[in-house]
Amino acid sequence: MIYTSLKEKHKSRIGRKDFKRNSRAKRTEHYANSLVFVSMLGSVAFVVSYL
């Protein structure tokens, strides 16, 4: 019996293009979250340096 991961099962169920689109959207969301985190960290460092 061939073991297929949940990711592979999901990919075959929703279609290859949808899977690529969803993974690309998740990647973009990750970049956006990290950008917000870095900018908040920078603003906190800026405020702390002037106190």
Side-chain angles (χ1 to χ4, degrees), residues 22-46:
N22 289 342
S23 60
R24 194 175 301 127
K26 286 178 187 171
R27 198 175 323 129
T28 305
E29 179 185 349
H30 176 70
Y31 288 147
N33 288 343
S34 60
L35 179 67
V36 167
F37 177 72
V38 167
S39 65
M40 295 224 1
L41 199 62
S43 64
V44 167
F46 180 75

Side-chain angles (χ1 to χ4, degrees), residues 2-26:
I2 300 173
Y3 173 76
T4 54
S5 66
L6 288 175
K7 199 172 191 179
E8 288 294 321
K9 287 179 185 175
H10 188 64
K11 189 193 302 187
S12 64
R13 187 170 70 243
I14 64 172
R16 187 173 286 294
K17 287 190 178 181
D18 289 338
F19 183 80
K20 281 186 175 180
R21 189 179 313 128
N22 289 342
S23 60
R24 194 175 301 127
K26 286 178 187 171

